[in-house]
Amino acid sequence: MTAFLGKGWAFPIRINGRGGLDYAEGPTLIEQSIWIILSTAPGRRIMEPEFGCGIHDYVFASNTPNLRASIMAAVERALTRYEPRIDVLKVRAQTSADNEALLLIHIDYRIRANNAFHNLVYPFFINEGEG
């Protein structure tokens, strides 16, 4: 089953104790792929300028319901486009109870190959500008 889901370099890329690279496979590789998609702003990859998620455009926006809705839509669009191994079931964005500048993006998804349900919480910091 994990062979179908793939195997690749673990994220972040690092050298292991044997002098080689660490690898990830199966659901772990998919989770790491989601992190890469969400952490990459469009335009950061020279050969894939559209790759990534547009949430980085909202770093200095005010924390409002409209902002959270825009972020949820951007996350769903990016994952639907760049991670074909999953079905995005639900995306929610909520303000952290401890820090108003921290949005917790909850992603519920299903792996298409085996119908296994997973979820991931991605922390996203906004720095509201003043004046």
Side-chain angles (χ1 to χ4, degrees):
M1 176 196 58
T2 58
F4 182 77
L5 297 177
K7 181 176 182 177
W9 291 350
F11 177 77
I13 298 171
R14 60 184 164 262
I15 307 278
N16 61 27
R18 298 179 311 271
L21 297 174
D22 282 334
Y23 288 89
E25 58 186 315
T28 303
L29 183 64
I30 292 173
E31 183 177 318
Q32 291 177 359
S33 175
I34 291 170
W35 274 85
I36 291 169
I37 293 166
L38 298 180
S39 299
T40 305
R44 295 289 180 172
R45 292 195 173 184
I46 293 172
M47 299 300 285
E48 290 282 344
E50 294 179 9
F51 179 84
C53 184
I55 60 176
H56 306 279
D57 295 339
Y58 302 108
V59 168
F60 296 107
S62 296
N63 188 351
T64 64
N66 286 341
L67 168 77
R68 292 188 294 277
S70 296
I71 286 175
M72 290 185 300
V75 167
E76 188 167 349
R77 266 193 315 273
L79 293 179
T80 300
R81 181 171 182 188
Y82 295 112
E83 186 44 80
R85 296 172 290 184
I86 66 170
D87 290 319
V88 179
L89 303 174
K90 188 172 187 180
V91 177
R92 300 178 317 281
Q94 69 183 53
T95 305
S96 169
D98 299 333
N99 184 350
E100 193 170 313
L102 172 61
L103 291 181
L104 299 174
I105 303 170
H106 299 264
I107 304 158
D108 298 330
Y109 62 96
R110 179 178 53 233
I111 296 176
R112 290 180 177 177
N114 59 11
N115 286 329
F117 291 91
H118 293 268
N119 58 38
L120 178 127
V121 178
Y122 182 83
F124 181 68
F125 290 91
I126 55 174
N127 300 313
E128 294 184 11
E130 302 216 9

